[in-house]
Amino acid sequence: MRAFREAVEAGDLDAVEALLAEDVVFTSPVVFKPYPGKAITAAILRAVAEVFEDFRYEQELAGADGRDHALVFTARVGERELSGCDFLHVDEDGLIDRLTVMVRPLSGANALAEAMGARFEQIAKEAEARTR
């Protein structure tokens, strides 16, 4: 999805949030349980933007129906290099209703888990404030 990619690359997290459906489901590369809802997804994405360094998309793939997209990226978390993919699905209104992220290698995933875990209290508070 070109609009999502451009917003992420520009660091425009408000534009990213505007592309999310209210009932979006975010699936993390390091946590088993999916996170349902726009508020928590937006809060997670804001924290990820702080954690990832040297982030760049390298490839964009689209499904035949135009509703499924894959954005391949590279980034760094501290000293750990990682590569990954954002899998997006858009609903009938063109909003993202599913966002699944996968990363590799394990050392990069572990660094991401540690960095995000350290921010999770802040993420939860931000999400709660957005739902009020």
Side-chain angles (χ1 to χ4, degrees):
M1 163 177 248
R2 174 63 64 189
F4 180 85
R5 177 180 181 166
E6 290 175 353
V8 169
E9 290 175 334
D12 187 349
L13 298 173
D14 291 334
V16 170
E17 184 174 355
L19 295 168
L20 302 175
E22 289 297 326
D23 62 349
V24 64
V25 175
F26 176 79
T27 304
S28 165
V30 295
V31 177
F32 176 75
K33 177 187 76 134
Y35 295 97
K38 185 174 185 173
I40 189 69
T41 299
I44 290 169
L45 293 176
R46 288 181 191 282
V48 167
E50 296 173 4
V51 168
F52 278 165
E53 300 173 58
D54 302 327
F55 179 90
R56 67 186 175 282
Y57 283 118
E58 296 191 333
Q59 188 176 14
E60 185 174 343
L61 307 165
D65 67 359
R67 293 181 69 181
D68 291 295
H69 305 270
L71 301 171
V72 181
F73 64 85
T74 60
R76 190 170 45 81
V77 177
E79 298 300 315
R80 298 293 181 186
E81 301 281 332
L82 59 86
S83 59
C85 191
D86 292 336
F87 295 97
L88 310 170
H89 182 270
V90 296
D91 64 16
E92 53 280 344
D93 296 323
L95 297 174
I96 299 165
D97 61 358
R98 285 194 315 261
L99 172 55
T100 300
V101 180
M102 295 187 183
V103 298
R104 63 160 306 281
L106 181 58
S107 61
N110 287 338
L112 177 61
E114 183 178 329
M116 291 298 290
R119 288 170 171 76
F120 209 79
E121 186 175 325
Q122 169 195 339
I123 292 168
K125 286 179 183 177
E126 180 181 334
E128 184 178 326
R130 289 176 175 277
T131 58
R132 289 183 187 163

